[in-house]
Amino acid sequence: MSVLTLPWGGEMQMEALAKQMNYRGNVAILMGALSNEEARERTRAVEAVIAKYKQMAVIEKQTARWQRNEAVDVVSGWLLNQRPIDAIAANNDEMAIGAIMALNQAKNSHILVAGIDGTPDGQQFVKNGKMTLTIFQDAKGQATGAVKVVKALLDKQKVESLNWIPYKTITQSNYAEFAAANQP
């Protein structure tokens, strides 16, 4: 009896990003805090997808501890070292936005950037074409689902052992449809 949030966000993110990359190229991964299981799971999922495609490789992987400003520093370092990066997969939208800020400072617009969580800021960056995609993790849906499960249990009703709240891929091409369907 749980509301599940597992590595599928990382898997969905990298599958969508790999498709945008025509299943070839070098990927850098911005990881959340290494002490956090979600960061480790999202990273493992991204790496597993990349491993499926022979013309793709992880060439950088570093923590920015979920922080926008730390991601700016990490990505700036990669750029200064002239790493041949084609895409950046960030464990969350904040780090993806930090990556975009570093790319803008370097006047580098050819690197694709993807985030996870579908935060309002992340959605705005997708809408404006600055972020390739984000994976919407429906926090409201998760909270509502958890309350429904608890209420059912309190009412001694039978509940499913797993209550899945699906993630959604948001891209510039489906942003308007997503926004219309997810208004408060």
Side-chain angles (χ1 to χ4, degrees):
M1 290 165 272
S2 63
V3 177
L4 187 62
T5 60
L6 286 175
W8 291 287
E11 183 178 331
M12 287 176 67
Q13 174 196 49
M14 197 58 235
E15 283 292 352
L17 194 53
K19 184 177 180 181
Q20 292 281 329
M21 299 171 67
N22 295 314
Y23 305 98
R24 64 179 61 161
N26 296 322
V27 180
I29 303 172
L30 284 170
M31 300 180 298
L34 299 180
S35 60
N36 184 281
E37 184 66 19
E38 188 74 10
R40 293 189 304 270
E41 288 299 322
R42 286 178 180 184
T43 301
R44 274 194 281 268
V46 167
E47 290 172 320
V49 170
I50 292 169
K52 294 184 344 184
Y53 303 111
K54 293 179 182 176
Q55 295 182 0
M56 293 185 76
V58 175
I59 63 162
E60 289 287 353
K61 181 170 74 167
Q62 191 171 335
T63 184
R65 298 186 294 203
W66 308 113
Q67 302 298 313
R68 188 181 292 196
N69 61 337
E70 291 194 33
V72 170
D73 294 342
V74 170
V75 173
S76 294
W78 292 340
L79 295 172
L80 284 172
N81 289 325
Q82 299 182 2
R83 299 298 290 153
I85 299 169
D86 298 302
I88 297 172
N91 283 171
N92 74 348
D93 287 345
E94 280 298 300
M95 292 185 297
I97 292 167
I100 292 164
M101 292 168 68
L103 293 170
N104 287 343
Q105 289 172 2
K107 300 196 184 336
N108 182 329
S109 61
H110 76 277
I111 296 175
L112 304 177
V113 179
I116 298 179
D117 291 330
T119 63
D121 282 353
Q123 290 180 39
Q124 193 62 44
F125 272 74
V126 169
K127 178 183 176 185
N128 295 338
K130 295 178 181 177
M131 189 184 306
T132 306
L133 63 99
T134 185
I135 303 300
F136 179 63
Q137 181 173 308
D138 188 355
K140 181 179 176 185
Q142 291 168 355
T144 302
V147 169
K148 286 179 181 178
V149 167
V150 169
K151 178 156 181 11
L153 289 171
L154 291 172
D155 292 343
K156 307 233 186 283
Q157 296 174 357
K158 185 177 178 181
V159 296
E160 297 293 323
S161 61
L162 177 64
N163 292 276
W164 177 246
I165 307 299
Y167 292 178
K168 296 174 184 147
T169 303
I170 305 171
T171 63
Q172 191 175 28
S173 65
N174 74 359
Y175 175 80
E177 178 185 335
F178 171 84
N182 290 283
Q183 289 191 355

